[in-house]
Amino acid sequence: QCVIEVEEQVTVFFFCLQSADFRFVKIQSMNAVITGASRGIGKATADIFAVHGYNLFLTSKNEINLLDTIEDLQTRYPNITVDGKAADAGDKSSAHLFGEWVLNNASSIDVLVNNVGTYVPGNVTDEPEGALEQMLHVNLFSAYHTTRALVNRMKAQESGHIFTICS
């Protein structure tokens, strides 16, 4: 059995190896910001946080998929707030605008999940021109710029967690 004592306003996310028991311990209403949230790992991550009562602030480059995801989560989890803004996180100015939107709409930022990613197939001898730059902008710079836009709020709160997913 896994037991962790927590202080007020702390969320504990742990995996108990002996019983393979995966749990969230939630003390108060918290907010999760998730990029790349309209499909795949990002959507599944949003679903997990929603199950555990987190308010969600989502982004995806594809506005239609993002709106479908928001509607689905709001329908299944009516007791939380689910909001989103379409943004190309691989674009510095777009990532900063998304960050400003979050700062204006979220009372706190308890979790940031940088999940945006892309892959351009090929190798150095035959990949399309600009493939490396595209992957760097989306896979690396998106997390960097989104984190920079939000981290000062997290520092001021003296709390929060940042996860960057690479798949």
Side-chain angles (χ1 to χ4, degrees), residues 1 5 10 25 35 45 58 67 69 77 82 109 115 118 134 139-140 151 154 164:
Q1 183 168 341
E5 293 182 26
V10 174
V25 178
T35 67
T45 302
L58 310 176
L67 294 174
T69 297
Y77 307 104
V82 183
I109 302 165
N115 174 63
T118 192
Q134 178 187 359
N139 300 341
L140 176 63
V151 74
M154 297 170 88
T164 299

Side-chain angles (χ1 to χ4, degrees), residues 51-110:
V51 163
H52 296 287
Y54 281 70
N55 297 314
L56 303 175
F57 296 87
L58 310 176
T59 191
S60 172
K61 188 175 181 179
N62 185 310
E63 185 172 24
I64 293 170
N65 290 348
L66 178 62
L67 294 174
D68 289 346
T69 297
I70 291 168
E71 182 179 352
D72 173 53
L73 292 167
Q74 286 175 331
T75 300
R76 292 189 296 128
Y77 307 104
N79 295 328
I80 65 167
T81 299
V82 183
D83 205 351
K85 180 173 178 58
D88 179 356
D91 175 71
K92 180 179 179 178
S93 62
S94 187
H96 281 279
L97 288 173
F98 171 69
E100 286 178 21
W101 175 82
V102 170
L103 294 173
N104 290 327
N105 290 283
S107 59
S108 64
I109 302 165
D110 303 293

Side-chain angles (χ1 to χ4, degrees), residues 34-43 58-61 89 113 115-117:
I34 305 169
T35 67
S38 68
R39 61 188 180 99
I41 294 170
K43 187 174 183 177
L58 310 176
T59 191
S60 172
K61 188 175 181 179
V113 179
N115 174 63
V116 174

Side-chain angles (χ1 to χ4, degrees), residues 116-133:
V116 174
T118 192
Y119 173 69
V120 179
N123 59 54
V124 73
T125 61
D126 64 8
E127 69 188 8
E129 185 63 37
L132 175 63
E133 291 82 358

